[in-house]
Amino acid sequence: MASCTRLLHRLVLNHGCRVCYLPFGTFRRPPLYSACVESCAKVTFRQELHTSTILSQEDATGSKQQQQQQQEESHLSAESKRTLSLSRNLFKEATNKSADKETFYQLIRTFGEVDKRRRGHLQFIETALKYMPHFNVEKDINAYNKLLDIFPKGVYVAKNVWQVIFNHFPEQQTVALKVLQKLEDNKIMPNNETKKLLLDVFGRQSHPVKKYQRIMYWFPKFRNINPFPLPFELPSDPVLLAELGLKRICEYEAELTVVKEFDDSSSDTNANEFLTSSQSPEQKDLLSQHPPYRPLFVEGPFNLWLRDIKLGYYVLRSDAIYLKSLEGDIVKDEDEEFEADYNMRNMKPPSEDQLEGSVYAMCMTSNGSQERLNLWIKKLQEDNPHLARLPVIFNLFDNNTESKEREGRIGEGTKLLKPDT
Amino acid sequence: MMACVKYQGLCRHFILHSGVLRTIPVAHAGTLKTLHRSFSSEEKESFYGSLTRNFKLMTQEFVTKLKSPNIDTMFDRSRVLWEYKGPESLKEFKVVTDATIGGQSTAKLGISRNNKLLFTGNLNTDVPKDGETVRSGFCTLKTLQQFGSFNRKVEIDLTPFTTLHLRLRGDGRAYMINMYCNSYFTLTHDDVWSYFLFTRGGPHWQNVSIPFSKFFLSSQGRVQDKQSPVDLERVTSIGLTMADAINGEFSLELGSIHVTYDATESEEFVYERYQT
């Protein structure tokens, strides 16, 4: 999926009441607001308990929860205890041995074979959902289909309008909704098999089918709206990633150069080092006109996110033309002085963008040390002879130092601030 | 031509040069900036103090109405809703994070090195351990609700306009733009119209323009089945949300927010409105 749908991770497609979030009719009678909230809390609490019983009894926090857990357990029959432990044991053992796609499918098959009546299949599905990342099947639509396939066909289908209104088999529908929610969170499109399964299990007028319809309505709408698209699967090679990142932020005519072999001794330790640089012809022109009395700055690393991968890039830029005071006032005298300076040299006064100083080149490197960036400047000098005459100041952010130091500098680019702790 | 200027032409979104906006005076009525008491101040206002203030405000409102400043919005084709003009401009925003529900995201508002608004923070999707919350991780920047005399909510009338523009510089992450409207029923108080905002990242500024017709309705984080266009007469505030479910730091520089009329935007609402 395009990255836009990722936002739907937080902005969930509706599948319930505006007040209580739960599917309509989870409670047989529509409750008042406060009652609704209360019962909602209870239900979720019970579900949490349930899964925590399955997953880890050690993790239970607070004596109150433990007490309730014990109560819950005492209510359970010996049989359901067995099924509970069955689903837990199945997944726990499998994760210890070999956790891959095939094992996951095998587990689902085993569950069907152990008990033909499939008792405790809701618990099994919920446990499976929790364990999906361990088996690396979160992005696999077939895994979701196989989970939905566990539901018996035809039993939960509402046969008349009253059953539809009063939410036929609410627990089962809720679990199916959880499966679909997980699918939505992982930005996967359901396929025809999913549709067929949902129709067979729950019938046309059910919440899971409605949720399926919502996904099928909204996902394609937002699939291609990103004006800066990325490939479906990002490359794992850091060099390719850096190229992708630089191409995204640099000008279209810019040339990319990749250096992989370094002469200095430090490269012996790591063979995977690289330096990717980009410069457009326009930037080259600008750099050749840069007055020699004004220094250049190498700054970075600034953050660039490609989906969930964070890259750091460095820029070679001129200083800001106007040094605005932190209060935001442009100093008038300087203003006029600069304009006079430009008029004298028959140049256009700078636009607002240019006030920040212009970017002459960008690079990404595996190793953000000053030696490596020095090398970058040296490589740039081959194409830009004028650069050799310009003083270059290295203004590198140390990710380990506090952000206070960075705030004082004036220049362009976004600041990298550490979160308040 | 500078590299950064060149970049604007490459942006797929509709371009609006910032220079154009400069010539347009900030409209007086209904912009986000109004002369009102800031409610962040701690000291308690006396009864007579508040009466005097409110009556003064009301008189001002009457006078403005009589002078009919809206006459220029009839002919205006754009209006600046917000623009960075020094640290005072930051006071028009508030930051809300998932800390309100027990989450661990942090965000703060500051001034960037280029004297622009800087919205930075760290998104954390860890779910608070309260037994009921299932998902977490959002940081929101929102313009403050402005109040008129006697605590009436000030609504911004955006009906003459079709498109929302933002000038910003991001870090490659995706954000959301939200529009909040005043509404009558309690059930619709949480209605938010949103659209996605993709940032390019890199050192260059980005102009984003989004037609109002593309905003879709959601309520309490749920995209609604029954969609309707934004109630442009009753917009109360505009916001940005960072919630792309990726743990890590984010930063966004915001230069300005403005609205324009674009005659080519004939559609009222781009999503289907099925008769149910």
Side-chain angles (χ1 to χ4, degrees):
Chain A
M1 273 319 301
S3 63
C4 54
T5 46
R6 148 178 325 145
L7 286 166
L8 295 176
H9 184 89
R10 282 302 166 270
L11 205 69
V12 175
L13 296 182
N14 182 35
H15 57 249
C17 145
R18 260 187 172 182
V19 179
C20 72
Y21 292 127
L22 283 171
F24 294 107
T26 301
F27 309 101
R28 292 296 158 127
R29 265 168 273 111
L32 292 173
Y33 179 75
S34 56
C36 182
V37 169
E38 247 176 46
S39 35
C40 274
K42 268 181 205 158
V43 167
T44 36
F45 189 51
R46 213 190 306 143
Q47 283 167 356
E48 285 292 314
L49 266 183
H50 193 66
T51 40
S52 63
T53 333
I54 296 166
L55 281 177
S56 58
Q57 285 164 342
E58 310 86 50
D59 285 356
T61 47
S63 56
K64 203 175 171 187
Q65 204 176 342
Q66 271 176 355
Q67 274 177 12
Q68 287 207 15
Q69 214 169 25
Q70 282 161 7
Q71 279 178 7
E72 193 85 4
E73 273 178 24
S74 60
H75 289 311
L76 296 169
S77 67
E79 183 54 41
S80 57
K81 252 185 190 171
R82 202 182 68 76
T83 42
L84 273 184
S85 53
L86 170 75
S87 49
R88 181 190 59 188
N89 292 342
L90 273 177
F91 283 104
K92 258 199 173 164
E93 281 168 21
T95 22
N96 291 338
K97 278 179 205 162
S98 63
D100 60 351
K101 214 178 257 184
E102 266 313 305
T103 332
F104 191 79
Y105 296 163
Q106 183 58 44
L107 282 177
I108 296 173
R109 253 174 273 143
T110 322
F111 177 76
E113 283 161 11
V114 165
D115 186 355
K116 283 198 174 168
R117 284 168 290 182
R118 295 188 186 172
R119 271 174 297 190
H121 64 279
L122 296 186
Q123 289 89 331
F124 180 81
I125 293 171
E126 287 211 31
T127 321
L129 281 180
K130 292 255 175 189
Y131 275 96
M132 273 179 115
H134 300 279
F135 292 87
N136 203 17
V137 285
E138 273 184 312
K139 299 270 175 193
D140 180 19
I141 182 65
N142 290 330
Y144 293 95
N145 286 344
K146 283 188 165 43
L147 279 181
L148 289 173
D149 203 13
I150 295 173
F151 285 110
K153 312 289 174 298
V155 185
Y156 304 146
V157 179
K159 292 192 177 59
N160 54 51
V161 71
W162 296 107
Q163 288 180 341
V164 173
I165 291 171
F166 291 109
N167 205 14
H168 210 38
F169 287 97
E171 284 289 311
Q172 282 76 0
Q173 293 205 32
T174 311
V175 171
L177 282 175
K178 278 182 185 169
V179 176
L180 288 175
Q181 185 60 56
K182 182 108 176 164
L183 182 141
E184 186 190 314
D185 290 350
N186 286 293
K187 301 147 250 166
I188 302 169
M189 280 288 274
N191 56 17
N192 277 342
E193 204 192 331
T194 325
K195 180 186 173 185
K196 195 178 167 295
L197 280 168
L198 288 172
L199 283 173
D200 287 352
V201 176
F202 296 104
R204 276 185 68 83
Q205 299 291 327
S206 62
H207 297 295
V209 170
K210 277 184 198 158
K211 174 102 178 161
Y212 164 84
Q213 287 170 329
R214 285 178 189 120
I215 295 175
M216 294 305 281
Y217 177 74
W218 288 106
F219 268 30
K221 278 228 173 337
F222 298 139
R223 175 174 250 182
N224 296 318
I225 58 167
N226 192 344
F228 317 109
L230 288 167
F232 187 75
E233 261 184 39
L234 287 175
S236 51
D237 182 14
V239 184
L240 291 178
L241 259 181
E243 274 180 35
L244 204 66
L246 266 186
K247 263 183 200 158
R248 184 182 166 123
I249 59 176
C250 70
E251 291 71 24
Y252 280 5
E253 319 84 53
E255 282 172 28
L256 283 189
T257 47
V258 184
V259 184
K260 280 185 183 170
E261 285 166 7
F262 301 99
D263 303 332
D264 55 13
S265 56
S266 66
S267 61
D268 297 339
T269 50
N270 194 350
N272 298 328
E273 291 205 1
F274 67 92
L275 180 103
T276 316
S277 160
S278 89
Q279 195 183 31
S280 67
E282 203 180 345
Q283 285 172 331
K284 234 176 245 181
D285 282 356
L286 283 171
L287 182 54
S288 65
Q289 291 166 17
H290 189 87
Y293 53 84
R294 281 171 54 203
L296 292 176
F297 291 88
V298 173
E299 278 189 350
F302 298 103
N303 277 357
L304 174 70
W305 288 85
L306 301 181
R307 293 225 184 94
D308 53 347
I309 297 170
K310 187 169 78 173
L311 303 174
Y313 67 92
Y314 298 82
V315 290
L316 174 72
R317 46 160 285 267
S318 65
D319 54 342
I321 293 175
Y322 292 99
L323 302 181
K324 291 179 190 175
S325 67
L326 271 180
E327 276 69 47
D329 318 315
I330 297 172
V331 185
K332 267 276 166 292
D333 301 341
E334 278 187 29
D335 217 8
E336 285 160 13
E337 216 172 89
F338 271 110
E339 255 171 49
D341 190 27
Y342 273 90
N343 289 336
M344 212 169 64
R345 286 190 275 141
N346 286 330
M347 283 167 78
K348 251 202 315 193
S351 72
E352 192 198 19
D353 281 349
Q354 295 161 343
L355 294 182
E356 297 176 353
S358 43
V359 176
Y360 293 140
M362 284 183 264
C363 90
M364 281 192 192
T365 158
S366 53
N367 168 8
S369 66
Q370 192 168 335
E371 295 87 63
R372 189 61 80 238
L373 292 166
N374 256 328
L375 190 84
W376 175 45
I377 298 298
K378 264 181 209 159
K379 294 266 176 204
L380 277 178
Q381 282 175 4
E382 292 169 10
D383 289 341
N384 306 275
H386 183 58
L387 183 58
R389 265 168 272 155
L390 302 170
V392 177
I393 297 169
F394 285 84
N395 195 0
L396 305 182
F397 309 147
D398 185 2
N399 275 330
N400 301 320
T401 57
E402 261 313 300
S403 53
K404 260 194 178 175
E405 201 190 330
R406 297 181 201 163
E407 279 178 41
R409 299 196 188 96
I410 295 170
E412 64 73 44
T414 49
K415 248 188 311 187
L416 297 181
L417 284 187
K418 287 209 153 186
D420 291 337
T421 44
Chain B
M1 283 288 284
M2 297 288 287
C4 29
V5 179
K6 181 92 184 184
Y7 159 69
Q8 292 181 345
L10 305 172
C11 183
R12 189 184 283 186
H13 290 297
F14 172 71
I15 301 302
L16 194 128
H17 296 288
S18 58
V20 177
L21 285 170
R22 295 241 153 157
T23 58
I24 296 160
V26 178
H28 356 265
T31 46
L32 296 179
K33 188 159 190 172
T34 36
L35 300 161
H36 298 285
R37 178 183 170 228
S38 73
F39 284 84
S40 57
S41 56
E42 291 287 318
E43 76 268 16
K44 205 179 170 221
E45 197 179 24
S46 73
F47 175 67
Y48 289 106
S50 87
L51 260 191
T52 327
R53 187 178 58 81
N54 278 312
F55 271 113
K56 265 185 190 166
L57 254 179
M58 203 173 73
T59 324
Q60 260 183 21
E61 281 167 14
F62 280 154
V63 170
T64 343
K65 200 88 181 168
L66 285 172
K67 278 185 182 169
S68 177
N70 278 335
I71 199 88
D72 59 53
T73 60
M74 285 166 68
F75 303 104
D76 264 5
R77 283 298 170 257
S78 66
R79 185 195 290 173
V80 181
L81 293 184
W82 177 86
E83 197 176 22
Y84 185 82
K85 288 177 186 160
E88 283 297 307
S89 310
L90 299 192
K91 287 183 184 162
E92 288 168 40
F93 288 95
K94 71 171 174 185
V95 174
V96 184
T97 65
D98 58 17
T100 49
I101 58 158
Q104 290 167 43
S105 303
T106 52
K108 73 171 187 180
L109 204 56
I111 306 169
S112 76
R113 295 188 301 173
N114 312 302
N115 285 320
K116 290 281 148 60
L117 182 146
L118 180 65
F119 178 45
T120 48
N122 197 11
L123 194 76
N124 193 327
T125 51
D126 288 353
V127 178
K129 289 176 181 167
D130 56 0
E132 31 180 345
T133 314
V134 192
R135 45 189 65 234
S136 170
F138 69 85
C139 299
T140 299
L141 183 71
K142 190 177 178 249
T143 54
L144 282 170
Q145 169 72 58
Q146 301 289 342
F147 291 94
S149 56
F150 301 104
N151 280 352
R152 286 174 306 107
K153 282 183 179 175
V154 172
E155 295 162 353
I156 312 166
D157 184 8
L158 296 179
T159 38
F161 308 105
T162 56
T163 319
L164 179 77
H165 301 266
L166 294 120
R167 188 162 164 73
L168 51 91
R169 176 157 55 187
D171 53 357
R173 291 180 80 156
Y175 296 75
M176 278 195 110
I177 305 180
N178 304 319
M179 293 182 77
Y180 305 84
C181 294
N182 220 349
S183 59
Y184 181 76
F185 296 105
T186 323
L187 200 66
T188 53
H189 275 189
D190 298 304
D191 283 4
V192 179
W193 279 265
S194 342
Y195 198 68
F196 307 104
L197 167 69
F198 299 97
T199 58
R200 181 173 181 165
H204 302 311
W205 282 92
Q206 180 187 353
N207 287 315
V208 179
S209 65
I210 300 167
F212 293 131
S213 58
K214 285 197 175 183
F215 283 77
F216 57 86
L217 172 63
S218 64
S219 177
Q220 302 191 351
R222 310 260 160 182
V223 181
Q224 294 300 307
D225 284 350
K226 209 172 185 182
Q227 289 286 325
S228 62
V230 196
D231 192 1
L232 288 176
E233 276 187 5
R234 315 187 70 186
V235 176
T236 53
S237 72
I238 292 170
L240 270 174
T241 300
M242 168 82 247
D244 61 358
I246 297 164
N247 289 327
E249 51 190 7
F250 64 90
S251 70
L252 182 93
E253 265 182 279
L254 193 61
S256 67
I257 304 173
H258 46 272
V259 283
T260 58
Y261 171 74
D262 180 3
T264 57
E265 285 296 338
S266 54
E267 226 169 355
E268 194 201 354
F269 197 52
V270 298
Y271 308 106
E272 286 85 349
R273 281 185 284 175
Y274 297 114
Q275 296 288 322
T276 45

